[in-house]
Amino acid sequence: MFKKISHYFLPHPETHAKAKLLSWHFLVIYILIFILVRVGIDLVSIYKPGILGVNASLSVDKIIEDTNMERQKMGLPPLIYNSALSQAATLKAQNMFEENYWAHFAPSGKDPWGFINRAGYRFSYAGENLARNFYTADDIVKAWMASSSHKENILNPKYQDIGIAVEEGVLQGQRTTVIVQMFGLPYGAVSRAVTPQPQVNVNGQKIVVKSGNTSPDRILRVAGTNNTPVRDALIDPSVVAKTAGITIFALMAILLLLDFIILKRRGVFRLSSQHFAHLSFLALSGASLILIKTGEIL
């Protein structure tokens, strides 16, 4: 019995064949397990919303501080906290939970500048950055700075004011912490001859806001809380996916190392196409694990 079990983990003592857990059949099984984990996460999100997600405690002040640190590095003046812009950011975050979307524009057609106008902030220039499922303010700002369009907002010399909202709710089936960052330059801070019409920077796209785009029917009605009860998330989906991947990766790495050591001692070790195939599989697995990230920006 022990010999049969050992063949799954160690090379065969007579034929020197690789451990069965390194066979192509098991490689297919590993891939299927990982796919099933991903599918299972999606199904739980659909049928048991709020169980999966990320619990985070983020400070608005820290996000503003980190944002201004990046501006300071470039010799730009710090942004000033603005309560109206923060209200606009809160309205936007609440509406994302209400309409269950992750985008700059709502399915109903509501746009970023509609929330800003609804909060009573008249602007010449404005911008919006979004983030979700981050654990720290540092990670959020680093992610924004790694994106050219988000970095453009943070380092835009035209902006004077900043508003931040950190809201929790169930979005697309998962417990989510949404961060909305809004920037603004008050109307009248520059000559109307310089800025004939207000502009908004959305994901790197500069949109001239026409008067018809800020009419009352395009502006958000006061959003309530999400209809789905918000509770402490039990499972972080990114952690589940990473744990499954790391387990498979570690198992294969250990078995390949044992295969090398044992066959070397037996004096029968030689590189083959199978070794390269397994090493390639390990490299792809490692790359996939690195790409699994919790946070997402928009």
Side-chain angles (χ1 to χ4, degrees), residues 111 113 117 123 196-200 207-215 218:
D111 42 51
W113 53 90
N117 281 291
F123 63 91
Q197 288 182 312
Q199 294 182 15
V200 179
I207 302 171
V208 175
V209 180
K210 299 178 181 179
S211 58
N213 287 340
T214 56
S215 59
R218 293 295 299 276

Side-chain angles (χ1 to χ4, degrees), residues 25-222:
H25 298 90
F26 276 95
L27 288 182
V28 173
I29 291 174
Y30 300 148
I31 294 172
L32 290 176
I33 289 173
F34 193 77
I35 292 174
L36 286 174
V37 169
R38 294 301 312 174
V39 172
I41 288 172
D42 292 338
L43 290 176
V44 171
S45 296
I46 294 171
Y47 294 106
K48 294 290 183 180
I51 290 180
L52 299 178
V54 174
N55 289 318
S57 179
L58 298 168
S59 165
V60 168
D61 291 339
K62 178 62 174 168
I63 297 173
I64 295 175
E65 178 185 340
D66 288 353
T67 299
N68 280 331
M69 283 182 63
E70 296 297 336
R71 289 176 64 87
Q72 184 180 2
K73 292 176 185 177
M74 302 302 295
L76 296 170
L79 298 169
I80 301 170
Y81 173 82
N82 183 277
S83 59
L85 272 182
S86 289
Q87 182 186 0
T90 300
L91 289 171
K92 171 61 179 282
Q94 290 177 346
N95 182 245
M96 291 174 73
F97 289 123
E98 186 178 69
E99 295 192 35
N100 194 34
Y101 69 95
W102 171 242
H104 288 287
F105 294 87
S108 61
K110 298 183 181 73
D111 42 51
W113 53 90
F115 299 100
I116 298 174
N117 281 291
R118 175 68 177 84
Y121 185 91
R122 294 191 66 206
F123 63 91
S124 295
Y125 295 98
E128 178 183 84
N129 284 344
L130 302 178
R132 67 174 177 177
N133 290 342
F134 282 90
Y135 290 104
T136 68
D138 292 339
D139 289 339
I140 297 169
V141 176
K142 285 178 182 177
W144 279 333
M145 290 298 294
S147 164
S148 59
S149 59
H150 297 82
K151 180 179 179 179
E152 181 183 355
N153 264 337
I154 291 174
L155 300 182
N156 193 324
K158 295 176 181 176
Y159 299 142
Q160 292 182 2
D161 300 327
I162 186 173
I164 299 284
V166 177
E167 295 289 323
E168 292 186 352
V170 177
L171 185 65
Q172 298 172 341
Q174 292 189 17
R175 168 69 176 267
T176 304
T177 301
V178 167
I179 301 92
V180 180
Q181 183 182 50
M182 287 189 170
F183 308 89
L185 175 68
Y187 191 82
V190 294
S191 170
R192 184 170 175 80
V194 177
T195 311
Q197 288 182 312
Q199 294 182 15
V200 179
N201 189 346
V202 180
N203 202 24
Q205 181 183 5
K206 295 176 178 61
I207 302 171
V208 175
V209 180
K210 299 178 181 179
S211 58
N213 287 340
T214 56
S215 59
D217 60 331
R218 293 295 299 276
I219 296 174
L220 173 70
R221 63 185 174 85
V222 178

